[in-house]
Amino acid sequence: MRCSVLSWLMFAFGLLTGSFLNVCSYRLPQNISLVQPPSHCLHCNRRLKFYELVPVVSWLMLRGRCRYCKTAVSVRYPAVELVTACLFSLCFRELGVGCELVKALILTSFFIVITLIDYDHRLILDKVLVCLAGAGILISLPASHLPGSSVDMLLGGLAGGGLLLLIAIASRGGIGGGDIKFAATLGLWLGWQYTLVALLIAFIIGGLGGGLLLAFKIKKRRDYIPFGPFIAAGAWLSFLYGAELIEGYLKWMM
Ligand SMILES: [Zn+2]
């Protein structure tokens, strides 16, 4: 058992980060600054007081409504905060304190923003990918638990981007340019082996997820289903569990 105080601190840090990621996913596609104007009600523009910014709790206290104009505040905001907190806690449980945890938290945050924006706008923003690539290069300089030489990183970018580019050509537009750039950027973080694992997981859960959406008639056959969230989920799982997955696969092959 890891120290439970640290676990709770990580959960709280996840809630606060989730609150910021909500802001990012709303403002970045509209080119609004992340700091100005300060958080306000999107309906009546009243600025939120500090105690109205406490993640999840203030939403529950105000029963999901703005204190002033009583307009409903989407349940998505506290949900994103809770999901971020749970994912942060899981990263902490798997990796403990250290450089790898920092990497995992950065990746998790980017993946949540990319997922939300792709879901809302069918778009993976270049500026988000540029930041993800820059952070990946900076943070890969120290040692990694993944095979992380600079050659691996470059090969990862080529493998990820190249594979999706081929599939995009073969499927005639089933995969967008944003997905290709996203996969190439992941290579910088994961190296080519773990990028391929990430994409394999993305295709499996994308297929299953798409099937379920069709089966439950949430989406129709011709509807667009963004692939970015599945790439993000695959990369997250590959980063945390890729080593076990590759080892298990090799044992199974023998
Ligand atoms: Zn309001």
Side-chain angles (χ1 to χ4, degrees):
M1 264 303 268
R2 289 190 193 284
C3 174
S4 62
V5 177
L6 273 182
S7 308
W8 281 110
L9 279 177
M10 186 51 67
F11 191 82
F13 180 57
L15 287 176
L16 288 172
T17 308
S19 176
F20 176 65
L21 300 181
N22 272 323
V23 175
C24 293
S25 65
Y26 179 78
R27 294 190 180 192
L28 285 174
Q30 305 186 59
N31 282 322
I32 308 173
S33 153
L34 293 180
V35 282
Q36 281 296 334
S39 293
H40 54 276
C41 169
L42 295 177
H43 189 72
C44 68
N45 275 326
R46 283 287 276 272
R47 187 170 163 181
L48 300 182
K49 303 243 163 55
F50 70 94
Y51 54 83
E52 291 169 298
L53 291 168
V54 183
V56 183
V57 178
S58 51
W59 189 88
L60 288 174
M61 300 276 272
L62 296 168
R63 296 193 188 87
R65 296 190 175 275
C66 167
R67 177 189 293 275
Y68 308 103
C69 68
K70 305 295 173 203
T71 303
V73 179
S74 170
V75 69
R76 176 167 137 170
Y77 293 102
V80 167
E81 290 160 357
L82 274 177
V83 167
T84 309
C86 292
L87 294 180
F88 273 29
S89 297
L90 210 54
C91 292
F92 173 66
R93 210 189 68 180
E94 293 297 325
L95 300 169
V97 179
C99 186
E100 289 308 295
L101 178 65
V102 176
K103 281 189 193 180
L105 300 187
I106 295 174
L107 271 183
T108 306
S109 304
F110 270 99
F111 290 165
I112 289 170
V113 170
I114 288 172
T115 295
L116 292 173
I117 296 177
D118 198 17
Y119 181 81
D120 286 341
H121 303 276
R122 305 175 177 190
L123 190 73
I124 300 178
L125 296 175
D126 282 340
K127 56 187 169 189
V128 174
L129 292 181
V130 168
C131 291
L132 180 61
I137 291 168
L138 276 181
I139 208 153
S140 290
L141 297 177
S144 164
H145 77 283
L146 304 180
S149 73
S150 38
V151 179
D152 271 324
M153 289 168 67
L154 278 179
L155 283 176
L158 287 173
L163 184 67
L164 280 205
L165 179 63
L166 284 178
I167 294 171
I169 294 168
S171 67
R172 290 192 197 137
I175 282 168
D179 297 326
I180 298 170
K181 286 181 267 182
F182 184 21
T185 311
L186 282 177
L188 298 179
W189 278 84
L190 302 177
W192 68 271
Q193 298 96 325
Y194 291 85
T195 303
L196 293 182
V197 173
L199 293 179
L200 186 65
I201 300 173
F203 281 113
I204 293 171
I205 56 178
L208 289 174
L212 285 176
L213 289 174
L214 290 177
F216 286 101
K217 299 202 161 72
I218 299 167
K219 292 269 182 190
K220 294 196 207 74
R221 193 156 284 278
R222 290 193 169 274
D223 284 348
Y224 175 85
I225 300 173
F227 191 52
F230 295 110
I231 302 179
W236 193 83
L237 289 170
S238 175
F239 185 82
L240 276 191
Y241 304 106
E244 282 98 324
L245 286 172
I246 292 176
E247 197 183 325
Y249 177 74
L250 290 178
K251 265 196 196 143
W252 180 70
M253 288 288 285
M254 300 259 199

